[in-house]
Amino acid sequence: MVMLAATTAAHAQSPTPARAAYACPVTAASSKNVPYSVVQGVSLVLDKAFDAALGPDAAKVSEPKVFARVAARRVDDGRMAELAEVSGCAALIDQHAGCAGYFDTELGSPLSVFMSMKKTAPLRRQFEEAVARIQSPERRGAAQSCIRRISAAQPVR
């Protein structure tokens, strides 16, 4: 089962303890034949990492005032790095579908939040910086490719 290391940090602004690296069940860009259980597992871990990175605002980020507040700040770097690692794995799965499942601003979730932000928004810049530091070249390349693809195709709010 895909699991994300538990954390004891109480708030996104407090220092984040070191966590075990996410063990992505996908090693290369996938075809359409990724088992549903793998996609479901990655989605669950991605949602948990997103919630941990954004804290209580994650549940309300679709509200314009919350979106604007979230976009204008940075979150804990450790939590963002963790989210980026899982995002790279999700991108490996998502590339065959044009990055629509996780990154697309119309269909994707939860990474569509970052793609909906202006490229200069502090939180989006932090996300892209964290993606650039993903250790796996395959995951890093897949995530950066999805970011470029969606950025070129979608307007931002």
Side-chain angles (χ1 to χ4, degrees):
M1 179 177 198
V2 178
M3 303 266 323
L4 185 62
T7 181
T8 57
H11 191 273
Q13 299 300 330
S14 62
T16 304
R19 293 179 182 88
Y22 175 64
C24 181
V26 181
T27 58
S30 300
S31 67
K32 296 178 185 177
N33 298 324
V34 177
Y36 180 71
S37 61
V38 171
V39 174
Q40 199 171 27
V42 170
S43 295
L44 177 65
V45 175
L46 184 62
D47 288 341
K48 286 181 180 182
F50 181 81
D51 291 349
L54 269 61
D57 287 332
K60 298 179 182 180
V61 78
S62 62
E63 297 174 14
K65 286 183 181 180
V66 175
F67 179 85
R69 184 178 67 240
V70 167
R73 65 178 170 89
R74 293 174 64 93
V75 296
D76 179 78
D77 285 332
R79 291 177 187 258
M80 184 58 79
E82 194 171 275
L83 176 58
E85 283 291 333
V86 183
S87 300
C89 185
L92 287 175
I93 294 170
D94 209 17
Q95 279 190 313
H96 81 277
C99 303
Y102 298 106
F103 290 84
D104 187 89
T105 56
E106 295 290 323
L107 305 171
S109 177
L111 302 176
S112 61
V113 168
F114 300 110
M115 300 299 94
S116 296
M117 294 176 184
K118 292 180 181 179
K119 291 179 183 181
T120 58
L123 190 61
R124 175 160 175 174
R125 288 179 48 200
Q126 183 184 17
F127 175 69
E128 290 189 24
E129 290 164 2
V131 165
R133 290 189 301 270
I134 294 173
Q135 293 296 313
S136 162
E138 293 84 10
R139 288 185 286 199
R140 180 177 58 246
Q144 288 174 329
S145 174
C146 282
I147 289 169
R148 281 190 304 272
R149 174 179 279 170
I150 298 304
S151 293
Q154 302 293 333
V156 294
R157 329 190 220 188

